[in-house]
Amino acid sequence: MSGSNVSGSEVTGAMVPVPVIPVPAATTVVVVPPKKKKRNRALIVVLIIVAILALLAFIAFLIGENFAKNYAQDYIRTRVIQVLGLPADAKVDVDLHGGSIILQALAGHINEVDVSVPQVAFGPLTGSATLHAENVPLDANAPVGVLNVEFAASETDLAKIAGNLSGLQLDSITLTEPDIVIASSFSLLGFPIPLGVSILPSAADGQLVFTPDVVTIADQPFAVKDVLANPLFGGFARDLLKQQSICIAGNLPKALELTSVGVEGKRLVLKFTADGAALGGPELSTLGTCGN
């Protein structure tokens, strides 16, 4: 039995477990490619070039627009000077309103134009004028869509045509809507009598017509027919109250038709129209005539 005994040390030595050493898990390594700096730089350069080209195109458009605007203003100013018979150095202000002149020119016309002339003569009358036109073609021989002219004379301007308002020496001329009011005086039995006449202006056959409306004698109003029928006032009344006129059409292009005359505030306003006339046509370069 002694042979079968095993010592404790031997048994213990045979049964000691072998320690397990953990193996680390495999690590996946992702390789990030470097940024393509050259491609990004090329894109930036392209964008810069595009921006520069766009800026240059915008500047070129502005320069072209300014040139086109100046050309259109000079073109219209020249035609207005010719049509109204103004001096070459006359002050003429041209307003083309908004919108691109280049785009309008591509369409063949300017949409809307307003012109201001501070000093102009319409026959013996002097004053200021404004012109309004629409659809103004760049071709001088093509018709204008709308062309209106408004002429205005002040009380001071009317003093130059005093002889066309009355046969008497006038003391004053005032504008009181809707009449032109003239003041004078006459002598009756050695006494001066103040006299006033309200004159209604109108247009007829290219003429500016002045028709006496009401007569005021010593602050008393009378109808014209009553004054003419009264022998007390003698022949002076016939000279004073005779209808007078001024030929306007004979001093302006025949295309400009005098359509109305009236007192507006403190101005005598004459209105003309020439729709459909060509800026370079004979109708705006040939003088008109007045009816008998």
Side-chain angles (χ1 to χ4, degrees):
M1 294 298 292
S2 59
S4 60
N5 289 336
V6 179
S7 64
S9 60
E10 289 177 350
V11 173
T12 302
M15 297 301 292
V16 174
V18 178
V20 178
I21 301 175
V23 178
T27 304
T28 303
V29 178
V30 179
V31 178
V32 180
K35 294 182 180 179
K36 298 181 180 181
K37 295 183 179 180
K38 291 184 178 181
R39 180 177 296 179
N40 290 344
R41 289 176 181 174
L43 179 59
I44 293 173
V45 170
V46 169
L47 293 176
I48 292 175
I49 292 174
V50 170
I52 292 174
L53 290 176
L55 178 61
L56 292 175
F58 179 70
I59 293 173
F61 178 81
L62 291 181
I63 294 173
E65 183 71 18
N66 187 61
F67 175 83
K69 183 177 181 180
N70 290 336
Y71 176 84
Q73 287 177 327
D74 289 342
Y75 166 71
I76 294 172
R77 180 180 182 277
T78 299
R79 294 305 304 145
V80 169
I81 287 175
Q82 293 174 348
V83 167
L84 299 183
L86 302 174
D89 61 347
K91 181 176 175 56
V92 177
D93 297 323
V94 179
D95 183 3
L96 301 177
H97 295 275
S100 169
I101 299 301
I102 291 178
L103 296 180
Q104 293 180 52
L106 291 175
H109 64 268
I110 300 173
N111 295 337
E112 187 175 3
V113 177
D114 281 308
V115 180
S116 174
V117 184
Q119 189 68 28
V120 61
F122 278 22
L125 270 177
T126 57
S128 61
T130 57
L131 291 81
H132 176 76
E134 298 176 10
N135 295 326
V136 181
L138 299 181
D139 180 359
N141 296 316
V144 176
V146 173
L147 178 57
N148 297 322
V149 179
E150 184 174 293
F151 172 84
S154 66
E155 292 175 343
T156 303
D157 295 322
L158 290 181
K160 301 173 184 177
I161 61 166
N164 297 94
L165 298 175
S166 171
L168 294 181
Q169 181 69 35
L170 301 184
D171 297 328
S172 66
I173 301 173
T174 58
L175 295 173
T176 304
E177 193 171 343
D179 295 317
I180 302 171
V181 180
I182 60 175
S184 184
S185 63
F186 67 98
S187 179
L188 181 64
L189 301 177
F191 295 96
I193 305 297
L195 175 72
V197 181
S198 296
I199 299 173
L200 190 64
S202 60
D205 297 324
Q207 299 184 83
L208 177 56
V209 181
F210 303 106
T211 304
D213 188 21
V214 177
V215 181
T216 303
I217 302 175
D219 295 329
Q220 294 297 315
F222 298 90
V224 170
K225 64 178 182 178
D226 294 336
V227 175
L228 291 174
N230 192 328
L232 179 64
F233 298 116
F236 91 91
R238 287 188 294 274
D239 294 334
L240 174 69
L241 302 178
K242 181 181 179 181
Q243 186 182 72
Q244 306 283 347
S245 64
I246 297 176
C247 178
I248 297 296
N251 298 280
L252 295 172
K254 64 180 182 180
L256 288 177
E257 178 186 358
L258 179 60
T259 57
S260 68
V261 178
V263 175
E264 299 180 7
K266 289 298 182 179
R267 305 186 309 161
L268 177 66
V269 178
L270 284 65
K271 296 182 180 180
F272 303 81
T273 184
D275 295 353
L279 293 181
E283 61 269 33
L284 282 176
S285 59
T286 304
L287 296 180
T289 57
C290 289
N292 294 328

